[in-house]
Structure formats: C-alpha cells, structure tokens
Amino acid sequence: MRRAVPATPSELLPLQLETIGIQYDQEPVTRPHGYPCYHWLQTLAGEGELSMNGRTWNMPERSGILLAPGTPHHYKPRSDSWQTGYITFHGSTAGNIVQSLGWSIIEHFQWGTGHDPITGQMKSLLAFAESGGDPSGWRYSADLYRFLTLLRTEARTDKRPPISKRLNRVQDLLHWLEQEYANPEIGLAEMAAQLGIGKRQLNERFRDLFGQTAYAYLIQLRLRKAKEWLPSRPDWTVRRIGEAVGFRDASHFVATFRQKEGMTPETYRKLYAAKPGKNRELD
C-alpha cells in the first residue's frame, strides 16, 4: 500500500487534498454513513464493484467513481486481486466546483485505451504528496482542479461521452468558422452543411458543448475577432472593423458589442489601446 497524508494548511483552500494512495490488494469496504470528504476511487488493475442504495457499478480498469461526502456505499473485489487508487479531498469551494462540472452525489467514469492522462495525473499527485513538497497546499489545490477537469474532458459518464470526443464531432466546423467568420452570408444552413447534419442537430451539439446555439457561437467568434482588432488597428473605423468580422452594418455591430461586452466598440478600443488615439465616429 502507498498512502500520503499531506500537511494541513492553516487556511481552508478552494480544493484541499486530504489523502491519496494506492491499495495493491483492495479488500471489501462498507461505509453506511459514507466518507466525510469527496472520495475518488479508480481501478488500476483487476476489477471491483461499488454499490449504493441498491445500485451497483462494475469497476474494470480505466474506470472510477466519485462520491460526495456522506454518501453511503460498499465496494469489493470482483477478481482475485483488485488494485485501486484513491483521492479524498474537501475545500471551501469543492462542492461548487463539483456541481459546476455537472456531477451529482455519485458519478461513474470510464475512459478508453491508449494514453491515460487521468491515471498519470493521479500517480503524479501521489508522488508529489509523498515528497512533502507543498506544505502550503496550494499546488495540491491546483493539481486537484487539473485532475477534476481531466475527468470532465477525457472520461465519459453513464450519461454522456467525454467532451474531447464530442468536440471531435464539430471540430471541422470550428476550423471552418475560424476561416470564414467574416462572411455575412453564413447561417445555420451553411454551418450544418459542413457537418452533413440538420440545423436542429447542430444546435443540440452546440448547446451540449458550449451552452448556446451554433449561431450564437458564431456571433461570439466575430466579437472575439473584433476585440483583437479594435486596439491593434487604430486607423480602422468601427464600421470597417464590424464589416471585416462579418456584421452587415455598423449599428448592428455596435448594438451587439454593447449588449455582450457592456461597452461600445470605441470605448473598448480606448480602454485597451497601447496609445490613446483620437475619438472616431462611425463612417
């Protein structure tokens, strides 16, 4: 068994590592009242199973389960030898972070063969904890956040595939938009055609990934390009920049920019320009 218990910082950090380790021959564990911290358990070799409230999850290699504090559970081996890795953590914003990642009191994760950044990050965090190299706990906090985001992007849950795989489904369109955003004729039909799907399915994918429609994503892309150009091209009028990033007219550009950014394009230009320039009116 390998087990590390880091020093307890004087202040409660956003994410705070409690324990981390590897159990080379995992025995059955029953916790009728759960564990007091968030508890990550993953299979490194062999196979086990975890049960909660009459439901059971098999845990082969490249799978793991995240349990919220106080969640009753029981786990045991399903093979002759079950090797597990575990992380327990808490923190001032741990609950908010887990909730913001879309997870409930128990989440089951699986990830594919090949490169395994999840296990790599867990073992790296364990080795660093064993070295005692972070008495303040801040690096542990950052590494824990990195580990959770890896779960979010590289592992699939019982509900949906990982973000990385879902992004692959729209990657060709994202590359195309980076090249064609300045074309004011682009609409949902043209965007959907790039992926060979319908407009409704296109919007479903974008809402799932980015929390907005595909056309709203395009507008955000155009505004991002405008924000790059406004300070760096002081000789261009607001109208010219709006047209260059795909807006049909200056008034629409200004109104959209003000709504999304809370200021006009000209105010943004003055705020971020390297050298203050003269006030510019719309052409």
Side-chain angles (χ1 to χ4, degrees):
M1 178 178 70
R2 293 172 61 185
R3 177 181 172 86
V5 182
T8 302
S10 59
E11 56 181 323
L12 187 61
L13 305 181
L15 291 171
Q16 192 160 309
L17 180 65
E18 189 217 21
T19 62
I20 181 170
I22 293 175
Q23 185 73 33
Y24 291 104
D25 191 9
Q26 180 66 61
E27 298 178 346
V29 172
T30 298
R31 295 192 179 101
H33 302 292
Y35 195 80
C37 302
Y38 280 96
H39 181 200
W40 166 256
L41 181 72
Q42 74 175 85
T43 296
L44 299 176
E47 185 172 1
E49 67 177 30
L50 184 144
S51 301
M52 184 200 77
N53 292 338
R55 186 177 178 186
T56 298
W57 291 265
N58 291 336
M59 296 184 62
E61 292 183 35
R62 293 176 177 260
S63 70
I65 287 181
L66 181 65
L67 296 157
T71 304
H73 62 273
H74 168 78
Y75 53 88
K76 64 181 182 181
R78 286 175 57 93
S79 56
D80 292 338
S81 177
W82 184 31
Q83 184 183 133
T84 62
Y86 63 89
I87 300 173
T88 60
F89 65 94
H90 58 109
S92 60
T93 61
N96 289 336
I97 290 173
V98 170
Q99 185 177 14
S100 71
L101 292 170
W103 302 331
S104 57
I105 62 171
I106 182 168
E107 289 290 342
H108 178 237
F109 300 85
Q110 294 178 292
W111 53 98
T113 58
H115 179 56
D116 185 356
I118 294 171
T119 300
Q121 175 70 7
M122 190 278 293
K123 290 184 176 180
S124 175
L125 185 54
L126 171 58
F128 185 63
E130 289 174 325
S131 74
D134 185 25
S136 71
W138 279 104
R139 176 169 166 180
Y140 296 139
S141 188
D143 286 347
L144 276 170
Y145 185 76
R146 186 176 298 111
F147 180 79
L148 294 176
T149 56
L150 277 173
L151 286 180
R152 183 73 170 84
T153 58
E154 301 299 327
R156 67 182 184 276
T157 67
D158 292 338
K159 301 172 185 175
R160 53 186 178 176
I163 285 179
S164 58
K165 181 173 288 188
R166 284 179 278 149
L167 272 172
N168 285 338
R169 297 174 180 171
V170 299
Q171 201 62 59
D172 288 345
L173 172 58
L174 299 184
H175 287 316
W176 183 77
L177 288 175
E178 285 287 338
Q179 301 298 319
E180 301 294 332
Y181 65 89
N183 182 357
E185 301 301 323
I186 293 176
L188 279 180
E190 291 74 21
M191 296 166 70
Q194 292 296 314
L195 299 179
I197 60 177
K199 292 186 287 187
R200 180 176 178 180
Q201 188 179 1
L202 176 69
N203 276 332
E204 287 174 353
R205 290 187 183 183
F206 270 72
R207 286 194 181 96
D208 179 47
L209 282 167
F210 309 114
Q212 59 186 349
T213 66
Y215 193 74
Y217 178 94
L218 173 59
I219 294 299
Q220 287 293 108
L221 173 60
R222 287 170 171 166
L223 292 178
R224 174 164 60 85
K225 295 297 183 180
K227 287 162 67 177
E228 292 175 0
W229 290 5
L230 281 163
S232 62
R233 302 190 180 186
D235 55 321
W236 282 27
T237 63
V238 167
R239 177 187 297 276
R240 184 176 179 185
I241 288 178
E243 292 173 349
V245 298
F247 286 88
R248 293 182 183 278
D249 59 74
S251 59
H252 182 212
F253 171 51
V254 171
T256 304
F257 195 100
R258 190 200 300 268
Q259 179 188 14
K260 299 295 184 181
E261 304 299 329
M263 64 183 78
T264 65
E266 193 60 53
T267 300
Y268 183 91
R269 166 180 273 163
K270 294 175 182 177
L271 185 63
Y272 290 99
K275 294 181 180 180
K278 297 179 180 180
N279 291 344
R280 293 172 177 82
E281 301 297 332
L282 299 179
D283 283 348

